[in-house]
Structure formats: C-alpha cells, structure tokens
Amino acid sequence: MTARIDDPGGSMSRTPFAPDALLFGGDYNPEQWPRETWREDIALMRRAKVNTVTLGVFSWALLEPREGEFDTAWLDEIVALLDEAGIGFFLATPTASPPPWFALAHPDAMPVDPSGTRLSHGSRDTYAISAPAYRAASRRIARVLGERYGAHPRLRGWHIHNEYGTLDFGPHAARAFRAWLRTRYANLDALNDAWCTAFWSQRYGAWDEILPPRATQYLHNPAQALDFRRFSSDEMLAAFEEQKQEIARTGSTAPVTTNLMLPAWNHLEQWSWAEAQDVVSLDHYLDTEGPDGEAHTAYGCDLARSWSGGPWVLMEQNARGIRVGDRTFAKAPDRMIRNSLGYIARGSQSSLFFQWRAGAGGSEQWHGALVPRAGGDSAGFAPVVQLGEMLERLSEVVSVPDDGPIVDARVGIVWHADGWWALETPHLPNDAITYSEEVRATHRSMWRAGIATDFVRPGSDASRYRLLLVPALYAMSTETAEWLGAYARGGGRLVVTCPSGLADEHLRIPDGPHPGLLRDLIGAGSDEILSLARGEKVTIDGGLAGEGWIERVEATDARVVARYVDGRLAGGAAITEAARGSGSVVAVTARLTQDARDAFLAGEARRAGAGPTVVGASALGVEAVRRRGARSDYLFLLHHGAAPVRVAGDGPDLVSGRDAAGGIDLAAGAVAVVRVPRGGDVAVAAADEVAT
Ligand code: GLA
C-alpha cells in the first residue's frame, strides 16, 4: 500500500487497498457449532483456497456475556486455528446486535419507531444510535477488540458494525437532531425559512419544539423529513468515527471499513461515509433472478468503486440464492462465478460471501452459504472449490495502477443520496418515479451498450468525463447547478433528465419556469408537468417514447432536438440542446422508456466519443470490462449470452491458461480474463462466424 491515486469520482485521494491476493471467503460465525466442526471448517477452507473470513459480526453476547465482563477465549482459539492454516480475517465490531442484557440495562437505548413504539431486543439492529449508553458500550467493545487483536499479523482489516441503518425517532434522536439543526441553521429564523414553516402553521418558536418526523396526522414537512435523513446519516457516521478512533488509540494500523449495502438500503450519504473509511466495502445482493441481475451487479460495483475512488471490497454476496419478494430462487454455480468475477472486474479486491456455512438455526437459516448443509463432499461445494482455484490464478489483478483509475470510464452519472431522499418525500407530481430506478435505468443503458461508467460526486472534478448524465437529481443547491454549468462550459456534454433541478436543497420550488435551478443553463423551461397514467406512453421524434412524466416546455435559448409526436403535448419540445462555452447541455424533460433511454443515451455517448470497452461484445451477451493493473490491463469477458463466442487477443487467458492469440472459444455462461499489454485489446465474435 504505497501509491496514492486520484479519486476519479470524488474529491479526495486514498491509499488504495492492495492485498497480496484476491480475497476469497466470507462471514464466519463458528460460535454456532461445536469445536469438531471448526476443524472441519478449516480443512474445507484450505481445500477451497479460502484466504479471508470475517469474524465476530454478531458476537457481542459471547464476547461480553455480562456488562463490562469480556470473554475472548473462544475467539482466540478460532484466530489461532485460522492463523495456523494461513487464513486472514476481517474482525468486526459486533455493535449491530447488542445482547439482551444491554436492552434490559439500558431500555432508553432501544430505537423508537415513527409511531412512538420502543422496539425490544429479539432480532438485530436494535439500538438508538444517539443513546449515550449505546455509544459508550460500542466504544468499549471496540477498544477491547482493538487491544487484543489490533496487531495480529493475519488481521486484514476492521469491519466496524454491520450495515449501519437503524433510524431512531425517540428522545435521544430528538435531542441530537436539534443540535445538528442548530449547527446547520444557526438560528430559528433561518430554519423556519428553509423549511417553509409558514405553511400549515408549523412555525417553530424554540428549538425544543422540533421533533424527528414522527407519525403525524397527514403529510410531513418535506424539508424536515429530508434534513432528518441527512442528520441520521451524519449521526451514524459520528458513531462509526468514534469506534474507528477507539481502535486507532490501541495502536492498530489495520485498514478500517464498514459494509455499505445495495440495492435498497438508503440510509447513508455514501460520499462522506467513503471519505471516513480506509477501504470502501459493499454487500451486494441480486434483486432479480432474471438477466437484469447482471446489470445490477455492475451498478453496485460502479457505485462502490466510485465512492472509493479506487479498489474496494465486496464484503458479502449470496453463494446460492436470490431472494426476491417472498421466495428464494436458485443462483446457478456459473452465475455465482460470473458475478464474482464481475465484482473483481470493476475494482473489487475480493469475492466474499455471507456466509461460510449454512446456519445451524436462527432467522437466516435458509440463507445460501459456501458450505451447503450437504457438506464439503457434496456437489454443491464443488463450484466453491472451482472459484477458489480460479481466484488464485487471477491473483495478479489486485495490483493497482499508479497512473490513473482502475477502470477508465469516460461517462459519469451524478449521484447523491439527497436525490433519493428528496424523491421519497410524498406528493410530488408523480410519486411513482424513484431515484434508485431512474439512476439505475440510466446506468443500465450504459451497461447494455458496454460502456464503462463512473458515478460522480456533485462538486468533484468531472473533467475526465466526455459525457455527464444527471438523472432525477430533483433537489440541488445553487453550487451544484453552477458546477454542472462549469462542466458544460469547459467542454463537456451534459445530459440532464427529468425530474432534475426542480427544487433547491431545502425542497423549495423557485418561482418561474421549471426546473428553477437549471433553466438558465438548459435554456428552456416548463410551465406545466403532466403525469401520465400507468401504461400510457407518448411517442417522441426519432423513434423514442416517454412514460410517466412529460412537461410543456418552451425553449428560450436552446434548440429543440425532439418533439412529441402524439399525446396532449404533440408538437411540443421533449428534448432540447443548448451550446454553453465550449460544451453543450441537453435536457430531456420526458421520462424516456428503457428502450428509448438505451437508444438515446448510447447515441449521446457515441457523439461524445465514449465508446464500448470491446466493440460488438454486448450484442453477443458478453460483458466486457477492462481493469487496469500496475503493468498490464485485464479484459474480463463475462459471457451472459446463449451461444458460444470466440475471443482473440494479445495475451493469455488467466482463467483457462490458454493463449488468446490464436482465439479461444468461450461457452455460454463461461468467463475469460485476458491479460493484455497496457492499452491492448481483444476481439469478441460469434464462434460460428469465425473461420477456423
Ligand atoms: C446482510 C447482512 C448479513 C445477512 C445478509 C443476508 O448483508 O449483513 O448479516 O443478513 O444480509 O442477505
């Protein structure tokens, strides 16, 4: 860990996390089993070439059986067994799951839901993040673990907590929220103005009158709701920082992380969380059993890499199951392997899983695991061994380039948690439009076109991107609007899609045409937003279509590039373009269907000079990703399609060990990783079309 690299997406630099090998393994909870099973576990880990486990995520009740009394003997034993086998470990602080004694001794430290119900122990994540007793107990156990294991040579890093995200609406939260608001607004006049409390007689005359957005008779004040989300993220971050400092005080220098989560967990403002971590880690679970899961994997990876500004750690995935709604679908072994390589292609230094062994009981006993119930000699364990061997062959890809990003993306998508939280406030023109789906649909279009994409922090240096996309950033500050303008004037091509820039950072809507924050930059404005009914579509020039949201737009200082062909706005502008400085700004004020978005954004990328990683690969169902290493590039080819393809390139395929120079056939579902000289290329063609 020597080189420092610039963060292409954010505004910071970080020492890249560069372990000696790709990390393979997962959450290991040995406390559920007798000692004989521990020995079998270690033997199976060696067989599968597991080199990393995560210990202690939910071990608080064993580590501190009574308040202030610690028992680390069992953990010492496990750590010794792992050490003997040469296996490294992340050590978690167990603060996501306080023991029953804690809840009984400190009932005020249990979270309160919006309706005022104080939750009881009996599950996990039962803590009120602002409760002093919880914070003190968290610091104490972090210190105990830091002192005992912080210098262990096999310690790969600290895994603080687990998926921060319990919101609390109780008295401790109310007190801390008020303190946060005082820092933000300094005086009540400013707060009343920002929250527009003149509406519905909500004016606050004293700080103590302000509450978290608890259950109320009708709609909450949206600015209050948004500020509460911001506060909750900051408050959890402060708790994380306290544990981090406690560990640092013990002298431990192992890198610190906490696992962020996708797809639905949206309780944290990830850019500031990433800044506080030595390495960003992500838990990723597919949200569909269908083919869109591959696009979702890429989406999670590109977010994690961008938040990190470099390599990152995939901390959890499911080895065998895909949970969707009320049932679990099987994840085929070849998909498990392709997904694992997909994470690594996009910058992960690991393929880690939740969890090592299928649970003995408890709430997640049916969750998939690396070791199935049928055991290590079953057919179900064979793909795990196969993956372990494959990752060992791929190990050289962990090296991090010191001359640029790990994935060289020229398209950026602006991302901020405020956008997600803002669109969750109710009574917008169309509440069915969500930030996560708008951003994901945009990323999906780039993924389908095979174009590498980063996510971009508002205000960061975006000059490396030829195309900057701004989906559904409903609320933004004037600084963000100015930053977007500077990007365009500096020569970039900016594409703003609805509903972006309608409200300021306090969710106030400026007077005049929409979008108030961006209309001068766009050179067009609308005086009316029309929601379309579910299933209703409008046709737009160029074979495009819109659904859900359209606007009556007048172009004042922009050219109309596409108009509505039918519907109530027939003849009106749907897409405009304005020249700004040496760049341009495109505004799409109709919500495009996915097909239309794919066609339109692929055209924009082409025009901006941002092409696919491997020309023609996507059309054959092959996801191609170039991961840059210290000396070579690695072209990852993940074949999600149905028919075999032939790959040719100037280098060896590290998966099969064969030279790709003469062409190698890749069966449906298979993967190849071709090491090519820096900037070298591969060609992918349908196998039956290549002359042999
Ligand atoms: C999360 C948690 C794990 C486990 C898995 C189940 O990622 O961190 O403890 O609950 O989900 O999918």
Side-chain angles (χ1 to χ4, degrees):
M1 299 212 301
T2 46
R4 291 190 77 83
I5 52 169
D6 287 334
D7 166 11
S11 54
M12 36 126 11
S13 63
R14 125 186 6 263
T15 304
F17 181 70
D20 51 355
L22 287 168
L23 308 185
F24 177 48
D27 278 30
Y28 182 34
N29 303 302
E31 54 267 48
Q32 295 171 61
W33 290 280
R35 300 250 179 329
E36 307 84 78
T37 312
W38 297 7
R39 277 184 284 278
E40 185 193 319
D41 283 335
I42 300 289
L44 290 177
M45 285 179 193
R46 294 184 74 145
R47 196 194 300 168
K49 301 189 182 298
V50 161
N51 58 18
T52 307
V53 296
T54 303
L55 295 171
V57 179
F58 298 113
S59 305
W60 198 343
L62 285 192
L63 289 168
E64 190 179 357
R66 281 163 297 280
E67 186 151 22
E69 280 179 38
F70 297 92
D71 174 10
T72 52
W74 66 275
L75 188 53
D76 290 352
E77 240 181 280
I78 276 290
V79 165
L81 285 175
L82 291 166
D83 187 19
E84 211 179 286
I87 298 169
F89 62 96
F90 281 100
L91 185 56
T93 63
T95 52
S97 205
W101 62 253
F102 177 82
L104 296 171
H106 306 284
D108 68 297
M110 291 295 98
V112 175
D113 75 8
S115 71
T117 302
R118 186 175 294 284
L119 305 185
S120 302
H121 62 281
S123 180
R124 67 174 184 188
D125 296 298
T126 44
Y127 55 85
I129 195 72
S130 311
Y134 173 72
R135 297 280 274 266
S138 298
R139 288 194 301 270
R140 190 173 59 215
I141 193 139
R143 189 168 57 246
V144 167
L145 293 172
E147 279 164 358
R148 185 142 197 100
Y149 304 103
H152 199 288
R154 301 268 183 219
L155 179 64
R156 294 218 184 255
W158 288 100
H159 174 302
I160 291 185
H161 200 89
N162 189 67
E163 296 176 349
Y164 275 98
T166 301
L167 299 188
D168 173 40
F169 296 79
H172 290 302
R175 172 188 42 78
F177 184 37
R178 288 173 198 136
W180 184 91
L181 291 168
R182 287 179 98 124
T183 308
R184 182 169 173 83
Y185 294 106
N187 63 68
L188 276 175
D189 285 345
L191 178 139
N192 279 308
D193 183 47
W195 287 12
C196 200
T197 56
F199 190 65
W200 282 356
S201 181
Q202 290 177 350
R203 185 163 191 84
Y204 294 103
W207 290 99
D208 284 352
E209 294 171 4
I210 301 172
L211 295 174
R214 294 179 184 157
T216 187
Q217 203 287 124
Y218 186 41
L219 304 175
H220 282 115
N221 180 310
Q224 176 192 11
L226 177 57
D227 270 347
F228 188 71
R229 302 303 295 267
R230 292 168 171 150
F231 150 75
S232 296
S233 175
D234 286 357
E235 185 71 358
M236 289 187 270
L237 181 54
F240 165 84
E241 296 266 23
E242 279 175 17
Q243 288 199 40
K244 187 179 170 192
Q245 282 157 16
E246 210 62 57
I247 288 168
R249 270 190 212 117
T250 69
S252 179
T253 54
V256 174
T257 188
T258 185
N259 45 345
L260 307 175
M261 166 69 163
L262 272 182
W265 214 234
N266 77 334
H267 302 305
L268 310 180
E269 191 286 278
Q270 299 90 353
W271 296 112
S272 46
W273 275 78
E275 269 179 1
Q277 297 180 57
D278 298 324
V279 54
V280 169
S281 61
L282 183 78
D283 299 344
H284 180 262
Y285 290 93
L286 294 178
D287 66 350
T288 168
E289 77 281 19
D292 195 47
E294 318 308 345
H296 191 251
T297 302
Y299 170 69
C301 293
D302 289 345
L303 279 168
R305 189 188 62 257
S306 304
W307 293 332
S308 156
W312 55 283
V313 166
L314 187 272
M315 193 61 90
E316 293 180 23
Q317 61 167 319
N318 189 333
R320 312 177 183 275
I322 303 169
R323 184 75 186 178
V324 186
D326 60 1
R327 64 204 64 196
T328 303
F329 296 91
K331 189 193 268 185
D334 68 299
R335 189 173 202 182
M336 183 273 282
I337 290 175
R338 269 181 293 128
N339 283 173
S340 292
L341 263 60
Y343 299 121
I344 293 166
R346 292 172 191 266
S348 174
Q349 301 291 50
S350 66
S351 177
L352 299 172
F353 292 78
F354 178 84
Q355 55 181 336
W356 164 249
R357 181 179 278 279
S363 309
E364 293 186 329
Q365 54 193 283
W366 288 106
H367 198 281
L370 289 169
V371 183
R373 287 221 168 70
D377 293 326
S378 67
F381 193 61
V384 175
V385 176
Q386 194 190 339
L387 177 61
E389 288 168 350
M390 193 183 283
L391 294 181
E392 206 172 70
R393 291 199 296 279
L394 292 178
S395 232
E396 65 180 74
V397 309
V398 292
S399 75
V400 177
D402 56 10
D403 62 345
I406 201 158
V407 173
D408 188 7
R410 296 300 163 146
V411 175
I413 300 177
V414 177
W415 165 280
H416 200 276
D418 269 4
W420 195 334
W421 296 331
L423 282 189
E424 279 186 350
T425 62
H427 251 287
L428 300 173
N430 183 345
D431 290 340
I433 293 183
T434 67
Y435 185 68
S436 57
E437 182 46 32
E438 290 310 297
V439 175
R440 190 160 160 209
T442 301
H443 182 271
R444 187 185 285 124
S445 293
M446 291 295 97
W447 183 84
R448 288 181 176 175
I451 296 170
T453 309
D454 279 341
F455 288 90
V456 182
R457 183 180 198 168
S460 66
D461 178 5
S463 56
R464 63 176 292 104
Y465 303 109
R466 299 201 170 130
L467 180 65
L468 189 61
L469 307 173
V470 190
L473 201 60
Y474 172 78
M476 65 174 70
S477 61
T478 48
E479 289 80 18
T480 296
E482 279 161 18
W483 168 73
L484 292 173
Y487 166 80
R489 282 191 300 279
R493 187 159 178 91
L494 182 72
V495 176
V496 177
T497 59
C498 67
S500 287
L502 276 94
D504 72 9
E505 73 269 37
H506 305 297
L507 301 181
R508 292 175 306 202
I509 318 287
D511 281 340
H514 306 304
L517 275 290
L518 295 175
R519 63 182 171 236
D520 292 341
L521 179 62
I522 287 170
S526 76
D527 62 355
E528 198 182 1
I529 295 164
L530 292 89
S531 284
L532 301 183
R534 270 179 217 286
E536 186 182 355
K537 290 196 168 57
V538 291
T539 313
I540 299 170
D541 286 341
L544 303 177
E547 60 185 356
W549 178 293
I550 56 176
E551 296 180 41
R552 184 195 313 280
V553 169
E554 194 180 328
T556 44
D557 179 21
R559 183 170 71 82
V560 177
V561 294
R563 293 179 185 277
Y564 294 101
V565 174
D566 54 20
R568 275 192 288 159
L569 298 181
I575 304 176
T576 57
E577 180 176 337
R580 293 288 179 265
S582 46
S584 49
V585 181
V586 175
V588 185
T589 43
R591 179 176 188 270
L592 297 181
T593 61
Q594 184 70 54
D595 285 350
R597 211 184 287 244
D598 293 352
F600 179 73
L601 293 180
E604 283 297 318
R606 224 178 6 256
R607 193 164 305 135
T613 302
V614 173
V615 176
S618 296
L620 297 167
V622 176
E623 176 179 354
V625 185
R626 178 188 295 270
R627 176 171 169 151
R628 299 176 69 251
R631 278 175 295 280
S632 310
D633 287 357
Y634 300 92
L635 278 150
F636 283 69
L637 303 163
L638 315 174
H639 190 2
H640 309 306
V645 297
R646 176 156 289 199
V647 174
D650 184 15
D653 165 24
L654 303 180
V655 174
S656 65
R658 282 175 295 161
D659 194 338
I664 50 174
D665 286 340
L666 203 58
V671 288
V673 179
V674 184
R675 183 211 296 135
V676 293
R678 181 56 65 72
D681 213 351
V682 300
V684 176
D688 58 7
E689 283 172 13
V690 181
T692 47

